[in-house]
Amino acid sequence: MLPTYGRVLAAVCALATTATAVVPVEVKGRDFVNSETGDRFQVMGVDYQPGGTSGFSKSKDPLSDPKSCLRDAALMQRLGINTIRIYNLSPEADHDECASIFNAAGIYMILDVNSPLQGGSLDRTDPEGTYNAEYFEQVFGIVEAFKDFPNLLGFFAGNEVINEQSVKKVPAYIRAVQRDIKDYIKEQVDRNIPVGYSAADVRPILVDTVNYMMCEDKDEPSASSDFFGLNSYSWCGDANFKKAGYDVLTEDFSKSSIPVFFSEYGCNAVKPRKFSEVQAIYGDEMSQSFSGGLVYEYTQEDNEYGLVKIKDNGDATLLVDFDNLMEQYAKLDMKKVQTAKESQTGAKAPTCGEGLIKNGTFLSTFDLPKRPSKVQDMIDNGLKDAKTGKLVDVSSAPVEQTIFDHTGKEVKGVSLKALAEGETNAPGKHADGKADGKSDEKDEESAAGALSAPVWGLATGAALATLLL
Ligand SMILES: *[C@@H]1O[C@H](CO)[C@@H](O)[C@H](O)[C@H]1NC(C)=O
């Protein structure tokens, strides 16, 4: 019965276009959860910044070229991820197709609101000089561009703003930016989009930092983080839970009241990377404190953290690291990864107060800078002349560029599969080849949009049954 079933399904799916969508993820206690099923959502993803900051301009960012997005979304489906993070975005570029492609692929987006251009971020050495209306045109421009996409998981208000160079009052400015984004969302968006901060792994001040960001202050009820990202490269080569200090991190974050995840991980001191930390991150112990993480990073750039090398003509090579990561994901028990625990949802946020901050690297007061009146006006009336993004139809389609495995052999049959309503990508779910890049004959069929029956049988069985009746 299965082969016939498979063929019928393939036909159905080839015709399907989607304005269908993933289910928005929301924060519940210290977990991310699927807002319809209540299943736990752990971030399983990559940082996505093809070309680095030098590839960025007002009209060009990682979500402005649909052809590249389609290629990458298809390869990410194969890899097995559910989330991408993008650091630099321009409110002036058109993101509708790219954001819709990732939605159709079942992949969520965590977006930094900042840009590397003049006025596009808080200056850690001069926060008061850069906390102004010009900056918020960037910030709210990004909120407008992405607020209507169901696969928008959240916004990062800042990335590693607090570090060795930052002045003492910087944390108060990050809380102020969080406050302003959350108030803008409250007024201008009909969904509660989570807002958080991404921190550098500076261990002596890490606990202070998360406490400062997540604590609640009744005078500034919108200022606290909804989630916390940690950029950490402490697991190198064949390290283990203790050697990498993951035991300390698990302990440090065990009392967090909000979801915490690695917003960057993947030390490359030992190459190729085997990503053995994946089993620890999603394992029993650590997943009490962490909600997964993002591997740095998708494309190979000068610093050699990539999984995929993109050529000038758009063709792509899957590096050994890509296969290694894919194999690690495939070993995970996804049922366990998605199980929500009651105990996770009850944690209470600490109250902001001096006693919370131990180190002295930054101020332990929580008075925030006053919001400029022009920014208040944007919050009340919406950003003027904003380019508000919207979901467009996306169909399953083969990737036009040529894809190679790490030995230089062509990988055939790579295609984007537009998923059914409410589906999320997961390891092994839509891989159209094997981890070593070999594609057998069955894989080549999928170039036309065919999908393997066992996978789709589960997801669309009900819909198909209706169709056959
Ligand atoms: C505070 O943190 C800094 C690193 O940012 C560290 O050098 C210093 O020793 C810490 N001080 C205390 C008292 O823990």
Side-chain angles (χ1 to χ4, degrees):
M1 155 119 191
L2 216 59
T4 324
Y5 188 65
R7 244 176 283 132
V8 174
L9 254 151
V12 172
C13 295
L15 290 176
T17 60
T18 38
T20 58
V22 299
V23 174
V25 164
E26 61 184 16
V27 171
K28 194 172 171 199
R30 54 210 309 260
D31 282 350
F32 290 115
V33 299
N34 178 301
S35 60
E36 273 175 23
T37 63
D39 285 348
R40 186 177 182 192
F41 180 89
Q42 294 206 56
V43 174
M44 197 171 281
V46 296
D47 295 307
Y48 184 53
Q49 50 170 353
T53 44
S54 55
F56 178 90
S57 71
K58 275 190 172 176
S59 58
K60 187 165 170 288
D61 67 30
L63 293 180
S64 63
D65 175 18
K67 244 175 105 166
S68 305
C69 291
L70 193 142
R71 173 198 62 211
D72 295 336
L75 292 173
M76 288 174 191
Q77 283 189 311
R78 180 186 184 90
L79 179 59
I81 65 164
N82 62 22
T83 308
I84 49 175
R85 176 200 185 169
I86 297 152
Y87 296 86
N88 298 303
L89 290 158
S90 165
E92 289 172 44
D94 185 340
H95 308 105
D96 290 358
E97 277 193 70
C98 277
S100 301
I101 285 170
F102 284 105
N103 167 69
I107 294 172
Y108 292 83
M109 308 179 292
I110 303 181
L111 307 176
D112 289 67
V113 294
N114 301 300
S115 105
L117 303 180
Q118 179 72 27
S121 64
L122 274 185
D123 181 343
R124 61 171 63 83
T125 63
D126 178 25
E128 56 270 77
T130 44
Y131 177 78
N132 54 33
E134 182 193 1
Y135 173 49
F136 281 93
E137 300 220 343
Q138 161 72 26
V139 173
F140 296 151
I142 294 304
V143 176
E144 283 293 329
F146 293 99
K147 65 180 186 179
D148 289 335
F149 290 98
N151 60 327
L152 172 62
L153 177 52
F155 290 117
F156 274 126
N159 179 52
E160 301 194 359
V161 190
I162 304 167
N163 69 8
E164 288 75 7
Q165 287 91 46
S166 57
V167 296
K168 278 188 166 226
K169 56 191 160 187
V170 148
Y173 281 84
I174 301 168
R175 273 181 73 92
V177 176
Q178 290 184 158
R179 167 194 68 187
D180 300 334
I181 299 173
K182 286 170 74 169
D183 283 350
Y184 189 94
I185 290 169
K186 235 176 260 165
E187 292 301 319
Q188 304 296 335
V189 187
D190 55 15
R191 171 161 81 89
N192 192 5
I193 300 163
V195 177
Y197 174 68
S198 175
D201 188 2
V202 185
R203 296 277 166 113
I205 56 165
L206 189 54
V207 173
D208 282 1
T209 305
V210 67
N211 279 333
Y212 196 96
M213 290 306 154
M214 76 178 170
C215 71
E216 279 175 4
D217 177 359
K218 62 180 173 9
D219 297 329
E220 294 281 8
S222 320
S224 52
S225 294
D226 297 319
F227 61 85
F228 190 81
L230 172 63
N231 299 339
S232 175
Y233 294 86
S234 63
W235 186 302
C236 303
D238 286 321
N240 57 45
F241 202 68
K242 274 212 154 63
K243 205 169 150 193
Y246 276 19
D247 54 342
V248 177
L249 287 178
T250 300
E251 175 60 26
D252 280 350
F253 288 103
S254 63
K255 294 195 184 62
S256 159
S257 56
I258 54 176
V260 177
F261 60 94
F262 288 111
S263 34
E264 292 176 6
Y265 75 90
C267 167
N268 70 353
V270 181
K271 291 176 192 161
R273 296 184 289 178
K274 292 186 188 155
F275 295 111
S276 49
E277 66 264 52
V278 164
Q279 304 310 318
I281 293 171
Y282 301 94
D284 286 338
E285 205 169 349
M286 196 152 200
S287 63
Q288 303 289 316
S289 294
F290 278 74
S291 292
L294 299 157
V295 167
Y296 189 85
E297 63 179 325
Y298 179 73
T299 52
Q300 181 79 323
E301 309 292 341
D302 292 344
N303 55 8
E304 300 195 329
Y305 280 92
L307 305 173
V308 175
K309 178 143 183 62
I310 309 289
K311 298 180 185 167
D312 289 342
N313 68 358
D315 291 350
T317 300
L318 309 180
L319 304 175
V320 181
D321 289 23
F322 182 100
D323 290 357
N324 291 348
L325 181 59
M326 184 171 164
E327 276 171 18
Q328 292 289 352
Y329 287 146
K331 283 192 223 163
L332 296 172
D333 176 351
M334 284 307 290
K335 246 214 158 92
K336 241 177 170 176
V337 168
Q338 292 168 340
T339 302
K341 295 192 194 70
E342 287 298 323
S343 59
Q344 297 275 109
T345 53
K348 219 174 144 334
T351 303
C352 297
E354 265 182 49
L356 217 48
I357 308 304
K358 311 276 192 247
N359 177 283
T361 296
F362 49 80
L363 291 184
S364 54
T365 57
F366 294 85
D367 299 330
L368 303 189
K370 205 171 160 298
R371 176 182 288 159
S373 62
K374 277 189 185 160
V375 176
Q376 184 63 50
D377 181 61
M378 294 176 190
I379 291 173
D380 294 339
N381 303 307
L383 180 66
K384 246 206 227 112
D385 303 320
K387 271 189 159 173
T388 305
K390 94 177 195 306
L391 201 61
V392 297
D393 281 352
V394 173
S395 317
S396 296
V399 166
E400 286 177 29
Q401 299 91 339
T402 308
I403 311 297
F404 301 95
D405 71 10
H406 67 266
T407 68
K409 188 168 167 283
E410 187 177 343
V411 182
K412 296 222 171 97
V414 179
S415 61
L416 175 83
K417 286 92 175 182
L419 303 194
E421 183 75 31
E423 255 201 301
T424 303
N425 194 48
K429 202 166 182 180
H430 305 284
D432 47 13
K434 301 192 183 70
D436 62 1
K438 279 197 205 100
S439 59
D440 57 31
E441 277 165 44
K442 206 167 108 255
D443 295 329
E444 296 193 16
E445 273 175 30
S446 64
L451 299 152
S452 72
V455 170
W456 280 80
L458 286 175
T460 54
L464 181 73
T466 317
L467 232 142
L468 291 177
L469 289 170

